[in-house]
Amino acid sequence: MAKIRYNNIDNVSTDKTLKQLRQWREERRIKKKDYSYKVPNHPPKLGYLAENRLETTITWIGHSTFLLQYEGINIITDPVWAQRLGFEKRISQPGIPLSGIPPVDLILISHSHYDHLHLASIRKLYKAGTALVVPAGLKRKMLRKGFPNCHEMQWWEELTLGALKLTFVPTQHWTRRTPFDTNTSHWGGFVLEPANPGTHPQGEDGNKRKLPPNLYFAGDSGFFPGFKEIGRRFKLHVALMPIGAYEPEWFMSSQHVNPEEAIQAFLDVGAELMIPMHFGTFRLADDTAREALDRMEQARQAQGIAGERIRTLAYGETLVVHPEERTPAQ
């Protein structure tokens, strides 16, 4: 039986030739980069996170791994606690060790690349009752690996888990874990919303209610028109947006946004607050964390975006996102 191969919107290709790969490797050998800057580690609020069931929180573990607390649900995105990926060692330690993570209710996987799906990390997080949500084409593999409570999602599909409504949204990327499974599973991001805003317990009937913010986890993506479509379909409050692994841009642009494109994507999706991710944890490309942050700041200023609308977290730092008074239809 032929394997399904997934594509990007408009069939945009991310394929690279061996000649292009050799060219990148040759360029990398002659580059001189300053890798002295490291994303700082912040003492995590382990006691607070263990007890919290009311407030919406975002804690950066590293790379694309976050602990999200939403509607009383503990969520981990793209869990990677690995100390190395291939030949690349982890640059800084995870913001919270695995032993400090509160019991996990839900694990979200944006795609199957090793820097977003680390099986050993999932095994340590996964307990009876933990749900695992993966892109289309990946469920069968995860069932074989011993994760029975697994849900598979197509682009724009919705899934309700308790008080959470989850939507799987497009990105522009690709997947591979072996030489034989290229693009046999899909890729994407997630939008998190309250499942029943009309009956949310906060507030009084007939009045505006204090609802949790709508969160957008962008996964891994090149710049593409889908960001505007996501912004058209959802009212977003917080966007977790990748800014790193973009150099050399002639090689990476189809699969990873650069910092300027990340800022434009933030504007396209229409979110109120951006939290940068996907930088500083592993050396996956030739850019440095300092370069990514500096270019992001220059792009913010060039676009006239207020400084408080971009919040760069340290590893282990927790942002509490307070609910807003709004009608359920908004």
Side-chain angles (χ1 to χ4, degrees):
M1 182 176 176
K3 294 180 179 179
I4 296 174
R5 303 284 176 171
Y6 293 89
N7 297 305
N8 284 306
I9 292 175
D10 298 329
N11 291 319
V12 172
S13 175
T14 59
D15 292 344
K16 297 295 184 293
T17 65
L18 287 175
K19 181 179 179 181
Q20 289 174 315
L21 185 60
R22 285 195 297 267
Q23 180 181 344
W24 173 26
R25 296 304 181 190
E26 290 170 3
E27 288 182 8
R28 171 175 270 196
R29 280 195 293 268
I30 62 175
K31 285 180 180 177
K32 293 184 179 180
K33 291 279 190 172
D34 180 2
Y35 289 97
S36 59
Y37 173 79
K38 294 184 179 180
V39 176
N41 279 71
H42 189 282
K45 300 178 179 179
L46 298 182
Y48 166 76
L49 294 172
E51 297 294 329
N52 177 50
R53 288 295 182 272
L54 295 176
E55 295 185 297
T56 300
T57 72
I58 300 170
T59 304
W60 194 25
I61 309 301
H63 199 53
S64 299
T65 308
F66 288 86
L67 166 63
L68 307 178
Q69 295 183 307
Y70 194 86
E71 292 286 73
I73 301 172
N74 289 331
I75 304 165
I76 296 289
T77 64
D78 287 358
V80 178
W81 269 260
Q83 289 299 307
R84 64 167 60 242
L85 292 175
F87 296 108
E88 295 297 332
K89 291 183 179 180
R90 194 181 191 106
I91 296 171
S92 296
Q93 290 304 303
I96 301 177
L98 273 165
S99 60
I101 296 293
V104 174
D105 304 301
L106 174 62
I107 298 171
L108 302 179
I109 303 296
S110 66
H111 64 294
S112 71
H113 280 152
Y114 282 91
D115 61 317
H116 294 259
L117 193 168
H118 184 235
L119 288 170
S121 296
I122 297 177
R123 287 195 177 97
K124 291 180 179 179
L125 295 165
Y126 190 91
K127 309 295 181 185
T130 303
L132 178 65
V133 174
V134 301
L138 197 53
K139 179 178 179 178
R140 184 176 178 183
K141 176 184 181 67
M142 302 312 285
L143 292 176
R144 289 200 314 268
K145 295 297 181 179
F147 308 110
N149 189 13
C150 185
H151 305 268
E152 192 173 73
M153 297 186 74
Q154 302 276 358
W155 282 350
W156 306 119
E157 187 176 359
E158 297 177 359
L159 177 67
T160 298
L161 296 167
L164 167 68
K165 184 175 82 170
L166 193 66
T167 307
F168 189 56
V169 296
T171 58
Q172 181 173 291
H173 205 59
W174 63 292
T175 59
R176 182 170 66 221
R177 288 181 74 85
T178 76
F180 311 105
D181 66 353
T182 300
N183 294 349
T184 56
S185 63
H186 222 168
W187 46 89
F190 293 95
V191 172
L192 288 70
E193 302 173 280
N196 299 297
T199 58
H200 202 271
Q202 297 183 16
E204 298 179 359
D205 288 344
N207 297 324
K208 290 185 177 180
R209 295 171 174 83
K210 288 187 176 181
L211 298 174
N214 298 333
L215 307 184
Y216 168 50
F217 173 70
D220 225 352
S221 185
F223 189 78
F224 78 129
F227 289 124
K228 282 190 175 181
E229 179 62 16
I230 292 166
R232 188 185 70 80
R233 293 188 184 216
F234 300 94
K235 168 60 177 173
L236 299 174
H237 300 92
V238 183
L240 310 180
M241 190 69 67
I243 67 167
Y246 56 83
E247 185 182 330
E249 294 184 42
W250 63 264
F251 189 91
M252 294 290 185
S253 63
S254 62
Q255 57 190 301
H256 290 150
V257 292
N258 63 31
E260 294 83 5
E261 290 169 332
I263 291 293
Q264 186 60 56
F266 167 54
L267 294 174
D268 285 355
V269 300
E272 297 171 4
L273 178 71
M274 170 178 158
I275 297 176
M277 65 174 182
H278 202 271
F279 72 99
T281 307
F282 297 101
R283 188 187 172 195
L284 301 177
D286 296 346
D287 49 285
T288 71
R290 186 71 271 162
E291 289 172 335
L293 290 170
D294 289 346
R295 285 179 58 171
M296 180 185 71
E297 173 60 14
Q298 291 167 6
R300 179 196 68 77
Q301 294 180 19
Q303 293 278 15
I305 299 170
E308 61 269 19
R309 292 185 62 198
I310 299 179
R311 176 70 180 272
T312 302
L313 298 178
Y315 298 140
E317 184 177 2
T318 295
L319 174 66
V320 179
V321 189
H322 296 289
E324 297 184 355
E325 289 191 357
R326 61 187 194 274
T327 58
Q330 288 182 319

